[in-house]
Amino acid sequence: MTGLRKFIKAQPVLVISLLLAAATMFIIPPDKEYIGYCNRTVLIELFALMAAVAGLRSIGIFDKLTKVLLSKTGTVRRLGAVLTLICFFSAMLVTNDVALITFVPLTLLIFGSINDSKSLILTVVLETAAANLGSMMTPVGNPQNLFLYDKYGLTAMTFLKTMLPVGVVGLAAVMGLTLLLPKDKCKAPESKDTEIPKLKAAVYTGLFLVCIAAVFRLIPDWVCLIVAVAAAVICDIKLLGKVDYALLATFVGFFVFVGNIARIEAVSDFFSRILTGRELISGALLSQVISNVPAAVMLAEFTDNGTQLLLGVDIGGFGTLIASLASLISFQIYRKDKNVQTGRYFVVFSVINFALLALLLGVQFLIC
């Protein structure tokens, strides 16, 4: 039972998705239509992207880039601003989860060396907000974007036009909040230079480019899968173990749940009626309760307005701590700090995130 409790605590969204899928199986017993529930392209692209990013991270590319960027900082305020911008732009390409997994531990190390716990909390919260904002801007920035981009057949230009206004406003707001950080002098900790293996760097970069090509429908998804497996076999078979299979299984669970729900006529009609014209606010509100990835998968089955749903679930990543899985990741990493202040973190996080949620929703309502 102890092991089960640990698993539920570690993967609550996965457990919920599997329970929901299992419950609907009693209403709609498994049949041949189940095969069509899962979006194969999304699952393959997520798998390949996670393998590519794990490979790039394993050879120290992100560490090298961070060291170069941080060499220009001299104050706590400038350091916080640089880290926030790094999370914003890196999340566009390597997802918000990976950006935070990479840079939040570094932030803990740096701020631990200057013994500034208050600035640490604000910086981590702003990094998290910036990563969620940056990930909004590209189809590969987060799982729900990838899913909705493929589900609705959006073009890159449509996607950019949809997300650019709220992304720019959000970034301006977050960078403005970095002015709350003090101007105290500081410097990044010294670290030893490591040589990046050229062959692995070339292979992982090539895999990442193949993933991008698959996302933009320039090559078939099966080519992306073959290249990902081949890259792991050639360079490091352990990469296949670093893929977040829990996330993939979560998608499968929600695909089955939503597929079954859609076949129940009364339920399908209800959701379609409720969602029509309310995709933005529905996506944002549901994300507060079950997080934006499952909210996107669930609601997409009941509306044709993909751009408004995209905005709803991405903006809905702000607000509660569970609205975005990336926010939970930051919090879990911060909890490992020796001077952790959970209460203060929760207050700072909630104030900033609910303010961003209100701001971005307000901006989008004005645009509409």
Side-chain angles (χ1 to χ4, degrees), residues 248-262:
L248 298 178
T250 298
F251 264 89
V252 172
F254 276 108
F255 281 144
V256 172
F257 168 67
V258 172
N260 283 336
I261 286 295

Side-chain angles (χ1 to χ4, degrees), residues 330-345:
S330 287
F331 178 63
Q332 294 289 2
I333 295 173
Y334 169 73
R335 286 177 61 190
K336 298 175 183 177
D337 186 61
K338 62 181 180 180
N339 298 315
V340 61
Q341 299 178 51
T342 304
R344 180 187 288 272
Y345 184 96

Side-chain angles (χ1 to χ4, degrees), residues 7-24:
F7 178 77
I8 293 174
K9 187 176 181 179
Q11 300 291 345
V13 180
L14 170 60
V15 172
I16 290 170
S17 72
L18 295 179
L19 288 175
L20 289 173
T24 57

Side-chain angles (χ1 to χ4, degrees), residues 277-291:
R278 304 182 185 91
E279 291 84 1
L280 175 65
I281 194 66
S282 298
L285 291 177
L286 186 60
S287 296
Q288 303 306 304
V289 182
I290 65 172
S291 87

Side-chain angles (χ1 to χ4, degrees), residues 26 56 72 93 101 113 133 150 158 171 173 180-183 198-199 207 221 228-229 268 280 289 307 331 346:
F26 290 102
L56 291 169
K72 304 299 182 182
L93 298 177
I101 289 171
S113 68
L133 284 165
D150 184 76
T158 297
L171 178 60
L180 297 175
L181 292 167
K183 292 184 177 180
K198 294 180 180 178
L199 175 60
L207 172 57
D221 54 15
V229 174
S268 179
L280 175 65
V289 182
T307 54
F331 178 63
F346 183 76

